[in-house]
Amino acid sequence: MRVLLTGSSGWLGRFLAPRLREAGHEVTGLDVAPGADTDIAGSVADRALVDRIFAARGIEAVVHAGALHKPDIVRYPAQAFADVNVTGTANLLEAAAAAGNDRFVFTSTTSLMISDAIHAAAGPEAVWLTEESGPLAPRNVYGVTKLAAERLCRRVHDEHGLAILVLRTGRFFPEEDDTHRDLSGPNTKANEFLNRRLTVEDAAEAHVVALEKAPALGFGTFILSAPPPFVPADCAELARDAPAVIARYFPEAPDLYAGIGWRLPASIGRVYDPSRAERLLGFRCRTDFAAVLDAIALGRRLPFAHDPSYVSPKEAIGL
């Protein structure tokens, strides 16, 4: 198919564009910043540009991965988030419906599921999060605008019949965490494979699968994260003594971590459950916490990206 990929210069886009081409699609990349997979420089907030791209390129499907993200909160006003994340999504949805497209994949975020209370992790047990969890009360403008965009997706599906799959991705960014500094970056990322992280390669693959499955499913929202080893019955102990729970599932973990000077999380406050994606999409992340431990045990390269020097392409050119 002739696919419009937004955010083609970003971290996900640089992995997703080649995978779409490998799957046989003709990809048009749109991004505000230049990149190897970006054909057109511009913003999804520019409706006239979006319409021109659809007409000139004969777009048949959209993978909307472009957005302003949480780290952008300190760099951009709230209106910019509304323009890009909400108006931009509306522009693409309306153009896709008008063109008679039969599928649309929207990259959302698990961040919109996190209220102030969940973020504080002050409860007596970890929160087990599924696509049905709610009520949703995002704690920042990033989450608020992504939730608004999800609701636009639902409206357009209901009104026009456009098949739309919403992918709420967990963490896959390569840079340092902008809020937690008590552990090294690789240690932090490794721990997150227990409950909230996936590799960028797995994120890209999930989008390719979603593009294929969308017409058969019609509409759906899916959490994307490495499969957690836990079950909901573990939630109370995860909050109280996460290392004990982890050691039951992975007896080798404490010694492997100690051998490289890492620490297991003392407490885990939330767990994302990606089982719906496995049931309905047939997608399961290839890299999980067991793969991390295997790499440590065998002295191999860690199976995820960590790049403290990574800078978003739009920041690199001063946008």
Side-chain angles (χ1 to χ4, degrees), residues 49-195:
L49 173 62
V50 169
D51 288 341
R52 289 196 301 272
I53 293 170
F54 268 79
R57 300 284 180 132
I59 299 301
E60 298 172 300
V62 176
V63 178
H64 180 26
L68 288 182
H69 298 280
K70 179 179 172 289
D72 295 315
I73 292 174
V74 299
R75 297 187 284 263
Y76 296 90
Q79 185 60 52
F81 280 82
D83 292 342
V84 173
N85 293 357
V86 183
T87 301
T89 302
N91 288 343
L92 292 163
L93 287 166
E94 291 167 6
N101 288 185
D102 71 346
R103 65 196 74 189
F104 189 109
V105 177
F106 175 58
T107 311
S108 190
T109 174
T110 53
S111 180
L112 63 78
M113 304 173 69
I114 307 306
S115 63
D116 285 329
I118 293 174
H119 185 256
E125 61 182 51
V127 180
W128 191 269
L129 291 163
T130 73
E131 293 83 356
E132 306 306 322
S133 296
L136 299 177
R139 62 192 181 88
N140 55 45
V141 69
Y142 171 52
V144 168
T145 54
K146 294 296 277 188
L147 180 57
E150 283 194 8
R151 289 172 173 164
L152 285 173
C153 289
R154 179 82 239 193
R155 178 183 64 80
V156 169
H157 168 73
D158 290 343
E159 292 182 359
H160 299 280
L162 175 60
I164 304 173
L165 298 190
V166 174
L167 305 183
R168 289 182 181 168
T169 64
R171 290 182 159 198
F172 57 83
F173 57 79
E175 63 266 41
E176 296 282 8
D177 190 309
D178 61 354
T179 57
H180 301 288
R181 301 290 186 183
D182 54 329
L183 300 177
S184 71
N187 189 168
T188 297
K189 288 179 170 66
N191 287 354
E192 290 172 345
F193 276 90
L194 288 162
N195 64 315

